[in-house]
Amino acid sequence: MEEREEAQSAITRRRLLGTGAAAGAGALLSGAPAGAAERPRAPNRNRQLRKRKVDVAIVGAGFAGLTAARRLAAKGQSVVVLEARNRVGGRAQNASIGDGEITERGGTFAGPTQDRIVALAEEVGIGTFPTYDDGMNVYLSSDGRSTYSDTGVTGTAPPDPSILPDLALLVARLDQMSTEVPVAAPQRAANAASYDSQTLESFINQNAITPQFKALGPAATRPIFGAEPRELSLLFVLFYIASSGNAENPGTFERNFNTRGGAQMSRFRGGTQPICQRIARRLGRRVIRRTPVRRIIQRRGHVEIHSDRINVEAKRVVVAIPPTLAGRIDYHPALPFERDQLTQRLPQGTLTKVTVVYEKPFWREAGLNGSALSTQGPVSATFDDSPKDGNKGVIFGFVGGDNARAFNAQSPTARRSQVLDEFVTLLGPQARSAVQYLESNWSAQPWSRGCPVGIAAPGVLTAYGDWIRRPIGHIHWAGTETSDYWNGYMDGAVRSGERVATEVLAAL
């Protein structure tokens, strides 16, 4: 009786409206902010909920959760996947642009060493095609606009003479320092305490010479992390670099940022969300949508998962959502304070993705490939997202960090105007003639609360990094933020799903 009263008291203390955990899964679109149709609703406590008993319950129907469910089901385990949204895919979502064509709201690309997401896509019948990369890149800085080829020694980075000395020295140094960081446990690096006591910004300020290079730093971190250099632990950045590879190929900073030979090299036919949709279709009634998980109770020998539409009893539960959302579930008994402190300190990045649709990819006729890097407007980086046959022109860009916070405080009309103004400067006057303008503010989505990844400030990894994927009783953790390789990307989410499935099978 006392336990029941304590449990009820714990529930009433929680802000159940808008704070339940949800599904999401590593870089967005409708005229209104994405997620506007997915407002969390208070659960109906008077309704008799369905009950189900399974071997494994999974919270979240993004790449991580669905990968885990698929693997566990293939091994004969009974599973159920509980998804807060009315769709699957998490931070991968398609948007229609007419005539049967789509653009991606969130996760879009794959590249070398991202072999797990590519293999999964192939297994469900979805192939890739090259991101359009013929022609010149654009660089917009305080010194003006210039064009350059990404086939040069600097790759996607601009070969601006004023930044070349810093670029060559600091990128090489970051790459070398990252080799000291073990991807399975960055907090175990020999110099972890030193690296985790400073920000990327302080490292750049201490080592860079030119103000032009210092201005370029945010243009890189805003699209990659949705954050400013001052928000990022140097240790976390080094881990992220080390993570952008696999067991045979060390990670490099360039692989994160490049299109040619980098993480933006390939796209998926039909977009990324159909990969998750095909997995969910095969799992069938095992996937339950529109049911945020509110509470997880561990008991002797099993765990109870309480959601808005169903209560589940399972031998194990996999929480496959971002740490900041996992921290909003009510756990009984309470999790160890270290795990709770970790989830309080890993916020999602602040990122909005803007997409402009045109009648045709006019920039190609001007010898441009659609990729741009800018320090002068809200959009820091752009890419060509046109259909493979080029029957429409599509450019999307990332607005991140401080730019995103300022951008989203403005009216929709002002935001659209700023983006088109910048695109005109980058691509030419035809950029004003938009057929469609779309944007997604992932930070405003109740079941994401940011994008593309949970970010660590100084001190977080060395204090709490051991808890990112440590099982607690019957609870296991997945999601791209728990991955060793390609942390923050779709590939990392798939890897985490594979890892946690193996972990759960060993525990059953």
Side-chain angles (χ1 to χ4, degrees):
M1 182 67 178
E2 290 178 355
E3 183 180 43
R4 185 179 300 111
E5 290 174 351
E6 178 185 353
Q8 183 62 36
S9 174
I11 291 176
T12 58
R13 288 196 303 268
R14 290 280 173 173
R15 296 178 298 158
L16 292 180
L17 179 60
T19 60
L28 301 158
L29 301 161
S30 75
E38 298 177 349
R39 302 299 184 195
R41 295 177 293 179
N44 184 347
R45 294 295 171 191
N46 298 319
R47 181 162 53 93
Q48 186 67 34
L49 297 180
R50 290 183 292 154
K51 295 182 179 179
R52 188 181 294 187
K53 189 173 182 178
V54 296
D55 293 323
V56 185
I58 297 170
V59 182
F63 280 104
L66 291 172
T67 297
R70 181 173 181 263
R71 291 215 160 191
L72 289 166
K75 293 295 184 178
Q77 304 299 315
S78 58
V79 301
V80 64
V81 182
L82 306 175
E83 168 58 51
R85 307 177 199 258
N86 60 6
R87 61 173 181 84
V88 300
R91 285 168 275 180
Q93 184 181 9
N94 282 2
S96 172
I97 56 173
D99 301 323
E101 303 290 355
I102 63 92
T103 186
E104 297 91 344
R105 290 180 181 270
T108 303
F109 301 112
T113 74
Q114 292 188 0
D115 43 277
R116 301 317 305 147
I117 179 64
V118 173
L120 178 64
E122 289 177 349
E123 287 170 13
V124 298
I126 294 176
T128 62
F129 66 97
T131 302
Y132 187 83
D133 197 33
D134 294 336
M136 307 293 278
N137 289 40
V138 176
Y139 175 46
L140 182 62
S141 71
S142 59
D143 294 328
R145 177 185 180 276
S146 59
T147 60
Y148 63 98
S149 172
D150 66 356
T151 61
V153 293
T154 61
T156 301
D160 181 348
S162 67
I163 67 170
L164 280 179
D166 283 338
L167 183 67
L169 176 65
L170 292 187
V171 170
R173 187 172 177 189
L174 288 170
D175 281 347
Q176 187 280 322
M177 292 165 64
S178 75
T179 64
E180 306 170 24
V181 178
V183 293
Q187 65 274 14
R188 302 288 181 229
N191 293 310
S194 173
Y195 295 156
D196 208 27
S197 68
Q198 57 187 303
T199 65
L200 177 63
E201 181 177 78
S202 62
F203 173 80
I204 291 174
N205 287 341
Q206 291 166 12
N207 292 278
I209 300 171
T210 66
Q212 291 92 334
F213 184 84
K214 293 178 181 179
L216 191 61
T221 62
R222 287 167 183 164
I224 293 177
F225 299 101
E228 299 296 310
R230 69 173 186 275
E231 299 178 272
L232 301 167
S233 158
L234 178 60
L235 178 62
F236 175 66
V237 172
L238 295 174
F239 158 67
Y240 216 72
I241 294 170
S243 175
S244 58
N246 57 23
E248 293 77 37
N249 299 276
T252 66
F253 174 83
E254 302 92 313
R255 193 177 290 130
N256 275 280
F257 209 73
N258 283 356
T259 297
R260 192 182 306 273
Q264 285 69 235
M265 189 173 76
S266 300
R267 294 168 54 196
F268 292 93
R269 296 180 184 276
T272 54
Q273 189 182 7
I275 303 171
C276 290
Q277 291 170 329
R278 293 189 183 188
I279 297 172
R281 192 176 305 123
R282 296 176 186 182
L283 289 170
R285 297 178 66 184
R286 299 181 184 94
V287 179
I288 304 174
R289 300 168 179 80
R290 300 188 303 279
T291 186
V293 168
R294 308 293 182 175
R295 195 159 199 243
I296 295 177
I297 303 171
Q298 296 201 69
R299 302 197 185 278
R300 183 174 298 178
H302 71 275
V303 60
E304 297 172 4
I305 302 92
H306 295 260
S307 73
D308 284 5
R309 297 176 60 196
I310 188 170
N311 291 334
V312 178
E313 179 183 319
K315 297 175 184 176
R316 297 276 162 169
V317 61
V318 173
V319 179
I321 56 179
T324 191
L325 294 180
R328 301 181 188 197
I329 299 176
D330 183 22
Y331 299 90
H332 183 79
L335 298 179
F337 79 86
E338 295 94 339
R339 171 69 197 189
D340 188 64
Q341 292 282 314
L342 173 70
T343 58
Q344 293 180 47
R345 288 165 169 79
L346 275 183
Q348 292 297 100
T350 306
L351 192 69
T352 294
K353 189 175 184 181
V354 295
T355 297
V356 184
V357 182
Y358 299 96
E359 290 184 353
K360 62 179 181 178
F362 62 86
W363 52 91
R364 298 180 182 180
E365 297 173 358
L368 304 177
N369 60 29
S371 294
L373 186 64
S374 172
T375 65
Q376 299 303 297
V379 180
S380 297
T382 70
F383 297 92
D384 186 322
D385 196 45
S386 306
K388 187 176 185 296
D389 62 7
N391 65 336
K392 288 178 182 283
V394 184
I395 289 282
F396 73 67
F398 293 111
V399 184
D402 285 348
N403 282 3
R405 288 181 275 271
F407 182 77
N408 288 302
Q410 300 180 58
S411 70
T413 300
R415 295 198 301 268
R416 182 181 189 276
S417 178
Q418 284 190 38
V419 170
L420 293 184
D421 285 347
E422 187 173 3
F423 280 17
V424 166
T425 303
L426 294 172
L427 304 173
Q430 288 175 275
R432 186 80 60 195
S433 303
V435 173
Q436 196 174 359
Y437 170 80
L438 312 127
E439 66 181 39
S440 281
N441 175 5
W442 282 96
S443 299
Q445 288 203 32
W447 308 129
S448 293
R449 306 313 296 176
C451 196
V453 65
I455 58 174
V460 173
L461 290 181
T462 48
Y464 304 109
D466 287 342
W467 292 85
I468 189 64
R469 54 179 170 268
R470 178 185 293 180
I472 299 172
H474 308 306
I475 305 173
H476 301 257
W477 313 99
T480 189
E481 286 83 7
T482 72
S483 187
D484 48 9
Y485 288 108
W486 287 109
N487 191 283
Y489 290 77
M490 293 181 291
D491 189 79
V494 174
R495 289 174 187 272
S496 79
E498 295 173 346
R499 184 263 308 160
V500 82
T502 301
E503 183 179 285
V504 168
L505 287 169
L508 287 172

